[in-house]
Amino acid sequence: MWQSSPPGSIYDHIKVASFSIGPDGLIEQWSSRAAGLFGMTSTEVIGRDPVEAFLPAELRSGGHRRVGEILDGKEWTGLVPFRIPGEGGAHGLAEVYVMPSLTGRGERAALCIVVDVRALRRIETDLAASQAIFGQSPFGFVLFGTDLAVVRANQRFATVFGGAAEDHRGRTVEDYLPRPEADRLTATLKRVLETGESVTDLQLVGPAPRTAERRHWSMNLYRVHSGAGRPVGVAGLATDVTRRHIAAREAASARRNLALLNEASARIGNSLDLETTARELLDVAVPGFCDLASVDLYQGLLTGEEAAPGSWASAHRESAGGSAELRRVAHASAVADALPTAVAGSGAPGPDDLPPALGSVHRFPFGSPCAMALRSGRAEDVPGDEMGFVQSTLAVPMVAHDTVVGLVQFSRTKGSEPFGERDRGLATELAARAAVCIDNARLYRREHERALILQRSLLPPGDPEAAGLDIACRYLPGNAATEVGGDWFDVIELPGHRTALVVGDVMGRGLRAAVAMGELRTAVRTLALLDLEPAEVLYALDEVARGLGSPGGGERSEGLGGSGGAQWPSRAAQKSREADLSEVYLATCVYAVYDPVTRRCTIANAGHMPPAVVEPGKPARLIDVPPGMPLGVGGEPFEEVEVELAENALLTLYTDGLVESRDQALDEGLEALRSVLTGPQMELEDACDFVLSTLDTEHGEDDIALLMARIQGLPAEAVGDWTLPREPRSVGRARDLARTQLLAWDLDDLVDTTELLVSELVTNALRYGEGEIRLRLLRDRTLVCEVWDAGLVQPRRRRARDTDEGGRGLQLVGLLSAAWGTRRTPRGKTVWFELALPDGEPAAELSVEQLLSMY
C-alpha cells in the first residue's frame, strides 16, 4: 500500500521504509524504500546480520541483545543511528518500529518499520510555521476551496467580519460583499483557479459589518496546490486600506493645491504691470480652482499715488458710504452661459444693481461681504445669487506687507463642489501671492524710471558675437525692483579675430556701485582697444580704480578748535569717507583674451572667482589663475596664465553671487558649480538657464553675472599663415600668396585691395622692422591680414609733404581698410588691417578728396 501510494502522498515526505528479520536473526526481506534510505541494495543486505550491517562497532553488542529479545517475542521502538549514503560517512538517525511475527512454520521473526527522523522534524517544523503564519498574521487570511466556499479563515479575518474563525467555514463571497463587488471577486477567483495566475492589489469596496461605513480592501489571490500539484483552492490575503484611501485622497487634494500654488508661483508676477498680474492670477484660478473670478484694485494704487502703507485701507474705513474707490481690472469665466452678475458680490441684482464693468471705478456697499473683507483683511463668504446659478463665492482681500491692495472674488457654480476650509486657505494664499506681486509692481514702477536709463547704459547691448566663440550671458540683479548693481560683463572684439571676455564685480550696492561699475567698464573697453596683455590691462585698470577712489578737491569739515582758516577734517569724517569710497571703488575682475586660431586663452585675475572650463568627455575644472589683489588696492602686480582649450570646450566666467550666499559657503558653491557644469552637453542658452535654475540663485543677496562661451576655433581652411625671408622679393611673394589664398576663398572682389595693402605692410616690415616676416590671413565675419616682424618700433601714420616720395602707405591702408592698427607681441610687433567681406554690391571707390588727402 505504501509503495503504490499516489505521488505527493504523506509517505513520500515521511520516507517510510520496511524490512524483515528471519528466525535466524538475519535480514530476510528488503524494500525499495529501505534501499533508498540506507543506500544499500537487497543483494547487499539480504542474509546479513542487521546489527553488523548498520550499527557502528561500539553499539553492536547492545544491538545483538535487542535482536535476541525481539526474536523472543518483544516489541521494540527506538532510535537507531546509521550511516547516511553519499554524505561522506555522516551518521543519520532512524526511528525503528519492530513488531514480532511468525513464519508459516510457526517460527518467530520480526517486521521492522523505519522512518528518517530528519524528515519527521522537517514536517513538524513546516506545520508549526504554516500554523504560525496563518494564525498570527496581522492580515486577514482566507482559503477558498475549489467550489469557492471558505475552507479556512484566520482570526484576523474573523475579527473584521465577526464571529469565530470556524464560523466562516462554508461561506461565499456574497456573504461579505455587495452583489457587484461579489461578482467581480467571484470572477477573479475562478480565473485564478483556472489559470494559476496570481492577482495582486485587487481593490474591493463594501460596508463594514454592523455599520454602513464603506471600507476599502486590497486583496492578493494565488492558487494553492497539493503535494502532487493538484489545485486545492485559492488563498487570499486581505488588507483594510480605508485609511490609505482617505490619506491618498487628501494627499491628492494637497498635491492639486500645491500644483496650483506652484503654477501660481510660475505664472503670477512674470510682468511688472498691475493689470497683467491680476489677469495672471485669474488665469491660474479659472478653471483650476473656481468657475468664475474677478479682481478689483484700489484706484489710488493704479493712479500711482504715493500713499503710506495701509492708507488705502484707512480710506476705506473712513468712508461710511462704502469702500474706497476700486477699479475692476480683470474677470474670467469657465462657464459659457455665466451670468455677469455672478461675481457682483452684492446678492441678487436689480435693474440699477449691475456688477462693475471691466475697467469701471466703483465702491462696495459698506455692509456687503466684500467691504467687510476689505476692512478685516480676512476672507468672507458671499451668498449665492437667487437665480441659483452661483452656489459658493469667496471674497478674499489681497494683502501685501500688511497693506490691502484690492479684492479677488472666487465663485463656483451649481454642480461644482462648494468651497471648504482647505479651499479658503488656498484662496487666501493665491490672493496673497498676487498681492505681493502687485505691490512689487507698484514699487518697481516708482524705482524703474530712476534706474532704467542707467541700467541700459551699463549692460552690453544685444547678444554678443565673436569669432570662434558661441556666447551666452545672463545678468540677475540682487534687487529685482531696481535692477541696479555692481556686477558687469563684457565681450570686446580685438584685432586678429581675437576676443576679450570680461567679468567684474564692484563691491557695494546701489546707484553708486552702478556708477563705479560703468566707469570701470568704460575703462576696460578703452584699455582693451590698446591691445595690451591681460595683466597689463588689469594693472592700468587698477590705476584707474585708485584714481576713482581718491578725494576730488580740497574737502573741508568742521575742526576741533577755533573758527576761520583752513581746518583738517575730523578723523571720524575721514574714516567714513574712506569707507564709502572703498565700498564703491574696490572691485574684482577677470580678463581673458581668446585667440580662435590657436584656441589659446590668456587670463589674468584681480581677486575674482576662478574661471571654469568643461572639455568634452571630461569633468569641469577651475582654471588655476593667480587671484591677485582687487582693483583699487594697488601695490601688487598681476600674473597671467595661458591655457589651450579643446574644440567645443565650455568656458564659464561668473561673479560670486552665483556660488556664495549667506546659507552656502564659497567652497560648497564652487563644487556645486563644477557638478552642474559636468553634465550632458546642451545648447548654450539652455546651459545658462540650467546653471541658474539648478544653483541657488534666488537668494537675492548679490547680483549675478554669468558669461559662457563655447569654443569654436577657426577651421584650418580659414587661416593662411606663411613665413617670409627678409629679402626684397618677399614683397612679390606676399602678394602672390595673398592672391592665391583669396581666390581659393572665392573673395575675388578683395584681391586687388588686399594685394596692395599686403605689399605696403610687408614693404614697411622690410624697411623698418627686424628678423623674419610672417604673413597671416584670417577669414571669418571679416577678412583680417596680419604682418609680424621682430622690430619693436611701432609704425605711426603721418602726413607726407608734397616733396616726399614715401610716407603715404599707412594713409592708404587707413583709407582702403575697414580698420587697421598695431600691437606689441612678446618678440616684436604686428601690423594688421581688416576688410569687410563682399556682399554682392560693387565696392565704393575712393573720392578725389580722399586720394588728395594723402598728398
Side-chain angles (χ1 to χ4, degrees):
M1 186 65 180
W2 292 340
Q3 299 299 325
S4 62
S5 61
S9 69
I10 188 65
Y11 303 110
D12 285 336
H13 297 286
I14 298 178
K15 297 184 178 179
V16 178
S18 64
F19 64 91
S20 62
I21 301 175
D24 53 2
L26 303 179
I27 296 174
E28 191 175 65
Q29 293 179 335
W30 188 254
S31 68
S32 299
R33 287 183 180 262
L37 177 63
F38 294 104
M40 303 175 70
T41 64
S42 58
T43 305
E44 295 175 305
V45 297
I46 290 178
R48 293 185 58 186
D49 186 340
V51 174
E52 298 293 332
F54 306 125
L55 294 183
E58 63 273 12
L59 300 178
R60 290 175 183 171
S61 60
H64 287 295
R65 186 175 61 256
R66 291 290 183 186
V67 170
E69 293 174 352
I70 291 169
L71 294 178
D72 288 338
K74 290 185 178 181
E75 293 186 359
W76 180 80
T77 301
L79 298 177
V80 177
F82 67 95
R83 289 185 297 273
I84 301 175
E87 297 189 12
H91 285 76
L93 193 64
E95 190 169 353
V96 182
Y97 302 87
V98 183
M99 296 172 289
S101 62
L102 294 175
T103 66
R105 295 189 297 271
E107 295 176 316
R108 291 182 176 178
L111 176 64
C112 302
I113 307 299
V114 183
V115 177
D116 190 343
V117 173
R118 293 177 302 170
L120 288 177
R121 298 296 179 265
R122 282 197 298 268
I123 292 173
E124 291 173 356
T125 302
D126 291 346
L127 289 174
S130 175
Q131 181 60 33
I133 293 173
F134 190 86
Q136 300 174 18
S137 171
F139 307 108
F141 206 106
V142 60
L143 178 63
F144 297 94
T146 55
D147 58 353
L148 304 186
V150 176
V151 175
R152 186 178 181 187
N154 68 350
Q155 188 57 43
R156 176 60 182 169
F157 185 87
T159 301
V160 174
F161 291 99
E166 291 297 324
D167 298 338
H168 294 272
R169 189 183 301 273
R171 294 185 180 180
T172 61
V173 294
E174 286 81 3
D175 298 321
Y176 305 104
L177 297 172
R179 176 53 63 89
E181 293 292 86
D183 292 344
R184 192 160 63 91
L185 178 56
T186 300
T188 305
L189 288 171
K190 289 180 179 179
R191 186 173 68 253
V192 172
L193 190 61
E194 293 172 358
T195 65
E197 296 179 359
S198 301
V199 173
T200 59
D201 197 22
L202 175 65
Q203 298 292 318
L204 299 171
V205 181
R210 299 174 301 279
T211 178
E213 179 186 359
R214 290 172 60 84
R215 309 293 293 178
H216 294 262
W217 290 281
S218 172
M219 200 159 192
N220 298 327
L221 302 171
Y222 59 93
R223 190 169 70 182
V224 180
H225 307 85
S226 66
R230 177 174 53 86
V232 296
V234 177
L237 186 66
T239 307
D240 190 337
V241 293
T242 305
R243 292 184 179 179
R244 186 194 308 171
H245 271 263
I246 295 174
R249 187 165 57 248
E250 293 180 351
S253 176
R255 282 195 299 271
R256 285 194 300 270
N257 291 350
L258 289 175
L260 195 63
L261 290 176
N262 183 60
E263 183 182 5
S265 300
R267 298 178 60 182
I268 300 177
N270 293 321
S271 169
L272 291 173
D273 178 76
L274 301 177
E275 290 83 355
T276 302
T277 302
R279 287 193 296 271
E280 290 170 345
L281 168 61
L282 300 192
D283 290 341
V284 172
V286 179
F289 177 67
C290 62
D291 302 316
L292 305 168
S294 66
V295 176
D296 299 287
L297 298 180
Y298 279 114
Q299 179 70 358
L301 179 145
L302 293 168
T303 56
E305 297 177 6
E306 292 293 336
S311 59
W312 295 303
S314 299
H316 180 96
R317 289 193 297 269
E318 293 169 2
S319 176
S323 67
E325 289 187 341
L326 298 103
R327 185 192 303 174
R328 176 72 44 101
V329 295
H331 66 74
S333 171
V335 184
D337 56 348
L339 297 178
T341 60
V343 291
S346 57
D352 300 324
D353 191 22
L354 293 177
L358 185 63
S360 64
V361 178
H362 65 96
R363 296 174 184 266
F364 287 115
F366 184 81
S368 65
C370 293
M372 293 173 60
L374 289 170
R375 287 196 301 271
S376 65
R378 297 188 298 271
E380 297 286 343
D381 292 315
V382 179
D385 63 284
E386 294 182 0
M387 299 178 65
F389 183 77
V390 175
Q391 70 163 344
S392 182
T393 297
L394 287 175
V396 185
M398 304 176 72
V399 183
H401 312 299
D402 297 327
T403 299
V404 179
V405 298
L407 182 80
V408 57
Q409 296 180 69
F410 303 103
S411 297
R412 289 180 179 174
T413 59
K414 294 296 182 181
S416 299
E417 184 179 354
F419 290 114
E421 195 60 33
R422 189 190 298 272
D423 296 322
R424 180 185 292 266
L426 178 60
T428 302
E429 181 66 23
L430 287 174
R433 294 196 179 197
V436 170
C437 295
I438 288 174
D439 194 52
N440 288 341
R442 176 184 67 85
L443 296 174
Y444 171 80
R445 182 174 56 189
R446 184 183 65 188
E447 300 295 332
H448 181 66
E449 295 177 357
R450 305 175 184 177
L452 186 58
I453 296 176
L454 176 61
Q455 184 66 25
R456 288 177 177 175
S457 67
L458 297 180
L459 297 177
D463 295 329
E465 295 183 357
L469 290 177
D470 184 13
I471 298 176
C473 46
R474 295 290 186 274
Y475 177 77
L476 297 181
N479 187 338
T482 61
E483 295 188 359
V484 173
D487 293 14
W488 90 91
F489 61 87
D490 213 342
V491 178
I492 307 170
E493 294 187 59
L494 300 178
H497 288 316
R498 295 171 304 128
T499 303
L501 305 175
V502 189
V503 170
D505 183 3
V506 175
M507 298 182 186
R509 293 202 50 77
L511 292 176
R512 296 184 65 193
V515 170
M517 176 263 279
E519 294 175 332
L520 291 176
R521 179 175 174 270
T522 302
V524 169
R525 295 191 71 89
T526 303
L527 293 169
L529 294 179
L530 298 177
D531 211 354
L532 303 176
E533 294 297 320
E536 296 177 349
V537 170
L538 292 186
Y539 179 80
L541 193 62
D542 178 60
E543 295 291 329
V544 173
R546 283 195 288 166
L548 294 175
S550 300
E555 297 184 356
R556 304 170 64 89
S557 63
E558 295 183 0
L560 296 176
S563 62
Q567 298 184 10
W568 295 103
S570 67
R571 181 177 297 273
Q574 184 176 359
K575 285 185 176 181
S576 175
R577 182 168 60 254
E578 290 176 354
D580 291 342
L581 291 172
S582 66
E583 179 185 6
V584 174
Y585 294 117
L586 284 180
T588 64
C589 180
V590 60
Y591 185 90
V593 175
Y594 171 69
D595 187 343
V597 178
T598 61
R599 292 203 314 273
R600 288 184 172 273
C601 189
T602 306
I603 308 172
N605 191 352
H608 200 77
M609 297 289 104
V613 64
V614 186
E615 297 184 338
K618 296 182 180 180
R621 62 183 176 89
L622 301 178
I623 300 178
D624 187 12
V625 184
M629 298 297 292
L631 301 175
V633 175
E636 294 292 335
F638 298 98
E639 301 180 46
E640 60 186 39
V641 297
E642 185 178 67
V643 294
E644 183 174 350
L645 302 175
E647 188 76 10
N648 289 323
L650 182 62
L651 180 65
T652 303
L653 282 68
Y654 53 93
T655 54
D656 57 356
L658 183 67
V659 295
E660 187 178 25
S661 67
R662 184 182 294 108
D663 301 324
Q664 185 179 45
L666 178 59
D667 291 342
E668 296 176 359
L670 291 174
E671 186 60 34
L673 175 63
R674 291 178 54 193
S675 177
V676 170
L677 292 175
T678 303
Q681 185 170 336
M682 60 182 69
E683 293 295 330
L684 203 55
E685 293 292 336
D686 296 336
C688 271
D689 295 335
F690 179 72
V691 169
L692 294 177
S693 62
T694 304
L695 298 179
D696 180 19
T697 58
E698 302 298 329
H699 48 75
E701 299 172 11
D702 198 2
D703 308 331
I704 296 173
L706 176 63
L707 178 62
M708 304 181 77
R710 182 86 66 190
I711 303 302
Q712 305 287 346
L714 286 183
E717 58 269 16
V719 179
D721 197 346
W722 307 275
T723 301
L724 304 173
R726 191 170 190 79
E727 55 187 31
R729 62 180 180 180
S730 292
V731 178
R733 174 63 176 161
R735 287 196 299 267
D736 294 339
L737 291 172
R739 170 182 287 273
T740 302
Q741 185 64 73
L742 264 62
L743 292 176
W745 286 342
D746 294 328
L747 299 178
D748 305 33
D749 294 343
L750 300 182
V751 170
D752 294 338
T753 303
T754 304
E755 275 191 295
L756 176 59
L757 300 186
V758 166
S759 179
E760 288 292 337
L761 296 188
V762 174
T763 300
N764 285 346
L766 285 173
R767 295 181 62 183
Y768 307 110
E770 300 176 7
E772 289 185 329
I773 300 170
R774 183 179 175 187
L775 172 65
R776 189 167 75 168
L777 294 178
L778 307 175
R779 186 199 65 187
D780 193 68
R781 291 175 297 160
T782 60
L783 176 68
V784 173
C785 175
E786 298 176 328
V787 176
W788 298 356
D789 69 80
L792 298 177
V793 178
Q794 298 285 326
R796 62 184 181 88
R797 184 176 177 179
R798 66 182 180 87
R799 181 174 296 276
R801 292 176 300 206
D802 294 345
T803 57
D804 289 345
E805 296 181 358
R808 299 178 179 86
L810 292 183
Q811 286 183 273
L812 187 63
V813 173
L815 287 173
L816 295 179
S817 65
W820 77 279
T822 66
R823 70 175 184 270
R824 289 181 297 171
T825 65
R827 291 182 297 277
K829 66 177 180 298
T830 298
V831 185
W832 58 272
F833 67 83
E834 184 176 346
L835 297 176
L837 299 182
D839 56 2
E841 298 292 333
E845 296 183 357
L846 295 177
S847 65
V848 176
E849 290 76 9
Q850 290 175 319
L851 291 173
L852 290 177
S853 67
M854 294 186 295
Y855 295 93

